[in-house]
Amino acid sequence: MGRGTLRIYLGAAPGVGKTYAMLSEAHRRVERGTDCVVAFVEHHARPRTEALLHGLEQVRRSEIGYRSTVLTEMDVDAVLARAPAVALVDELAHSNVPGSRNAKRWQDVEELLKAGIDVISTVNIQHLESLGDVVESITGVRQSETVPDEVVRRADQIELVDMSPQALRRRMAHGNIYQPDKMDAALSNYFRPGNLTALRELALLWVADRVDEYLQQYRGEHNIRTPWQARERIVVGLTGGPEGRTLIRRASRMAAKGSGSEILAVYIARSDGLTSASPKELAVQRTLVEDLGGTFHHVIGDDIPAALLEFARGVNSTQIVLGSSRRKSWQYIYGPGVGATVARESGPDLDVHIVTHEEVAKGRGLPMARGARLGRARIIWGWLVGVLGPVLLAVVLRSMEDAPGLANDVLLFLFLTVAAALLGGLRPALASAAVGSVLLNYWFTPPTHTLTVQDPENLVAIVIFFAVAVAVSSVVDLAARRTHQAARLRAESEILSFLAGSVLRGETALDALLERVRETFAMESVALLERSSDVDPWTCAGSVGPAPVARPDDADVDMPVGDNMALALSGRVLPAEDRRVLGAFAAQAAVVLDRQRLVGEAEEARRLAEGNRIRTALLAAVSHDLRTPLAAIKAAVSSLRSDDVAWSDADEAELLEGIEDGADRLDHLVGNLLDMSRLQTGTVTPLIREIDLDEVVPMALGGIPDGSVDLDIPETLPMVAVDPGLLERVVANIVENAVKYNSGPEPVAVAASALGGRVELRVVDRGRGVPDEAKERIFEPFQRYGDAPRGAGVGLGLAVSRGFADAMGGTLDAEDTPGGGLTMVLTLAAAPGGVRARAELPAQATS
């Protein structure tokens, strides 16, 4: 039996009509004779949705007891036993009641799909796992019920149920979504126009990306290479020159004109050595592209126009942005340039934009990659001019009635030799000189049609022609080589200068440096290997690229760094002249690795220094704050044991009370010291369980004087997932601290409230408050703000409280109290499935 298909109705918010659309589809299928049942649908008392359930077979639900109540969930076994062709399962992201077969409803759906049952389900965009933080930043509500993105992406069909924010708010106002008592709260909080607009855009973009995946898959399966202009994708061709920033910004403005447009910046490097771009400038342009929301791509290709067009068609691009050529006018003799070639060969489906900039016609000031080697096209042209050129020239001169004379013939052949040297280098020029000498001797030197020379002057002319041709060719080729070598040295010096600057600034991370090595030398992968000694195996300290090698012996190029470290590159063999720059990169990689380790050691040293500071403060605390109650206890005990004084019952009771108070203070101080020690060593392991806040907070106030605290814990609060013991210590510490500093006539207020998937406990005092610059400092160990009296504690209460809150996955922060004072805000995570009411997002919003 094959796997069933999954169809999902995706909505931007509750109430857009997902369940209604699903039930309508079910009625259509039933009318066509499809065996379709309702496995689980929640109509939330919406009349029109409830009416659509009539006429559809509904599978009984399973009843599960939970906390003195009975809840219903989808009965997976009943659905499997019924074995329908199609099952309707509402609320894909729903969390099942504890004790159910699976924790999540999407896991129930997976079982139905594996059994060959087709499933139709619904989900809202805010329930996708990857969008949780984005939705929380927009709405202020953290979704506790989520579904992994991959589950939704694997769906065979995804249909967006869309509705404008204004229409959705009208539906809300008409009572078609929530009950009247919840309508106002929803409209003023979660269902604000801005929230709905942002959620709608998220849903549209997410579905557009999914459609794009389908399109790319279809194009790949059918080998379609021509662009389909379904979505604007703008490819920016970069050379690494200064004009790249202008091109990127221009492409960004073009993309901003159409919603959903993408920018893809691509740099194409030749595969024969150092790239022709400035590494520093490319790094700046990469950062600029990413800041503007685009992506940067590095492609290897010897034919720049062909590689650029291949990349653009591969990503289904619709537009290409290139800069006007930086060539000078005379440099066009080498060809039309990349821009003109791309525009000519792009075809009707790709629009090519040539953007002007300040560097137009100023010459290609970029360092050359492998300047000592000419391109294949130039070498071919050099041989054609050097070999075929003299033959064609001889034919032309022989066909002329009035010959220009031997001297002019020699000059014409010499011109072809120089042209061959300029195009193809020394060898085509030497071939041209040899062929020209033979042709001059055979066709133009009497006696013609023979290789003998009768007149000594003609012999001297031919010899001089050959010598001059060879000399000129050598000089031209030497000048070209010197120019290329200078350009290469310029490239190397710029790279070395950039490396030196990064060393001084300490900017380069190891992965970024290895990536720069890979791009500079056009390699597939780069790895930095090290070992402890000559007999130990190699370990990888860092790598980039696919399948990095594990040993230097397996690499195409390896560069030793000291005795037990090596930089290993895979992809091709580098020429010897590239190893000098590679050696600089290898040395820099070793420096970066050492710096990272030194940073780690410095952090460890800082931690040890912090430990020493805490120990010093602990000694100071022991020497004073702990000795004070000890001295009081000892004095009281000594007085009671004294035989010289007859103590009355009242005096003895007072002394015993002092002993008890001192012992309590000692117990509290030692407890905080031990807790701080556990936090510093990382041995605090909370035992998280679900509990009501009103079960813990009253217990934490046991040692607080009566009448000093005003408690407000609503019974409708959701349960929290905490360690009850740690939570009690946290609340006791912050309330005790608030009571200590509260100077107003009003008692300290302790109030709790729910916000989405969080519960906040606020402890409000009316003291003199804490300045903003000191709000974080009061949470440091052994800190007591202001004029706190000696003996009032060692300054660990708030530090321990924040540490325990962090250990339980919560937060503890300080805020100003309106009108004066300090408010401690303890934020805790609500227990999954334990939310009893929500002020901002009603319970029905999970549909």
Side-chain angles (χ1 to χ4, degrees), residues 37 39-40 59-64 73-84 87 89 96 100-115 117 119:
V37 302
F40 188 97
V59 179
R60 63 172 179 82
R61 300 184 184 183
S62 63
E63 297 182 351
I64 302 175
E73 293 287 0
M74 181 175 70
D75 193 333
V76 179
D77 291 328
V79 178
L80 292 175
R82 172 62 176 77
V89 183
N96 293 329
S100 301
R101 179 179 185 137
N102 295 303
K104 292 285 189 176
R105 184 163 293 163
W106 64 264
Q107 296 171 326
D108 296 338
V109 170
E110 282 293 316
E111 289 196 35
L112 300 182
L113 294 174
K114 290 179 181 178
I117 301 174
V119 176

Side-chain angles (χ1 to χ4, degrees), residues 834-846:
V835 179
R836 287 178 281 187
R838 295 186 184 180
E840 287 74 18
L841 181 60
Q844 293 93 329
T846 59

Side-chain angles (χ1 to χ4, degrees), residues 203-224:
L204 291 171
L205 291 176
W206 195 91
V207 173
D209 289 337
R210 180 60 174 155
V211 172
D212 188 61
E213 292 177 10
Y214 282 132
L215 180 61
Q216 294 291 352
Q217 180 181 355
Y218 180 85
R219 285 166 51 84
E221 292 174 352
H222 293 79
N223 196 27
I224 300 173

Side-chain angles (χ1 to χ4, degrees), residues 372-390:
R373 296 184 180 182
L374 299 172
R376 179 181 300 177
R378 288 188 59 180
I379 293 176
I380 293 174
W381 276 106
W383 281 103
L384 291 176
V385 171
V387 176
L388 297 181

Side-chain angles (χ1 to χ4, degrees), residues 497-513:
S497 174
F498 180 72
L499 285 176
S502 65
V503 172
L504 296 176
R505 294 187 300 269
E507 295 176 347
T508 306
L510 182 59
D511 290 343
L513 179 64

Side-chain angles (χ1 to χ4, degrees), residues 629-664:
L630 280 175
I633 293 173
K634 182 173 177 59
V637 172
S638 299
S639 298
L640 288 173
R641 296 187 60 187
S642 175
D643 297 331
D644 299 336
V645 181
W647 302 101
S648 64
D649 293 341
D651 292 336
E652 289 184 357
E654 183 178 354
L655 291 173
L656 290 174
E657 184 179 358
I659 293 174
E660 185 178 10
D661 291 342
D664 289 340

Side-chain angles (χ1 to χ4, degrees), residues 471-533:
V472 170
S473 301
S474 300
V475 171
V476 171
D477 182 71
L478 181 61
R481 289 179 181 274
R482 291 292 182 264
T483 301
H484 294 325
Q485 290 173 4
R488 178 179 180 80
L489 291 175
R490 177 182 173 183
E492 293 181 1
S493 63
E494 185 171 350
I495 293 173
L496 295 176
S497 174
F498 180 72
L499 285 176
S502 65
V503 172
L504 296 176
R505 294 187 300 269
E507 295 176 347
T508 306
L510 182 59
D511 290 343
L513 179 64
L514 295 180
E515 180 63 27
R516 184 167 292 118
V517 173
R518 189 178 72 88
E519 293 181 356
T520 300
F521 296 97
M523 288 294 184
E524 294 179 359
S525 64
V526 180
L528 183 63
L529 307 176
E530 62 175 348
R531 58 183 179 181
S532 302
S533 64

